[in-house]
Amino acid sequence: MSKRILIVDDAAFMRMMIKDILTKNNFEVVGEAADGAQAVEKYMELKPDLVTMDITMPEMDGIAALKAIKEKDPSATIIMCSAMGQQAMVIDAIQAGAKDFIVKPFQADRVVEAIQKALG
């Protein structure tokens, strides 16, 4: 059975890029969210196997959403997506329980490798 993934990014084209990479690699994208608040809501509703979470978003950023999801479900598997130069935020995210991070612009093989590693 394919792994179920929730994609969180405020940029629709970024969600589309990730979705394209994932579906080509036999992952099932079960939902998408455009901000952290939506991410928490969709996570609780869909219970995906993994979440790809953008760091910088309006309303609630990725780190706040990561913490909120981890609070509700400590076993949640979340990978952060960051732009270059966001090292401090990435460190915060890892300390808050993120499994890994992928850097934009995305390289398909790195995305797939990070997801497979995180899902163990």
Side-chain angles (χ1 to χ4, degrees):
M1 202 176 91
S2 60
K3 294 293 185 179
R4 304 167 66 252
I5 299 177
L6 170 64
I7 299 172
V8 185
D9 199 305
D10 56 327
F13 79 96
M14 280 296 180
R15 292 197 307 270
M16 204 170 73
M17 273 175 63
I18 298 174
K19 186 175 187 172
D20 190 48
I21 292 168
L22 297 180
T23 49
K24 281 182 179 152
N25 286 278
N26 303 317
F27 293 104
E28 183 190 353
V29 175
V30 291
E32 295 182 26
D35 64 50
Q38 264 185 29
V40 176
E41 208 173 277
K42 291 253 176 159
Y43 183 87
M44 298 319 293
E45 176 196 324
L46 301 166
K47 297 276 194 278
D49 296 306
L50 182 135
V51 180
T52 64
M53 180 83 72
D54 186 25
I55 290 182
T56 315
M57 295 181 290
E59 304 300 322
M60 178 193 264
D61 71 20
I63 294 174
L66 163 73
K67 289 176 179 168
I69 290 171
K70 282 294 215 179
E71 209 170 273
K72 291 176 165 54
D73 179 2
S75 67
T77 303
I78 301 171
I79 291 179
M80 305 309 284
C81 303
S82 72
M84 292 301 253
Q86 290 184 317
Q87 277 83 351
M89 287 174 154
V90 167
I91 292 165
D92 285 352
I94 300 290
Q95 286 170 341
K99 282 270 193 265
D100 202 348
F101 65 95
I102 43 181
V103 178
K104 299 173 182 177
F106 299 121
Q107 293 171 298
D109 54 354
R110 172 72 188 114
V111 172
V112 172
E113 178 193 315
I115 288 174
Q116 286 171 338
K117 197 174 91 186
L119 290 168

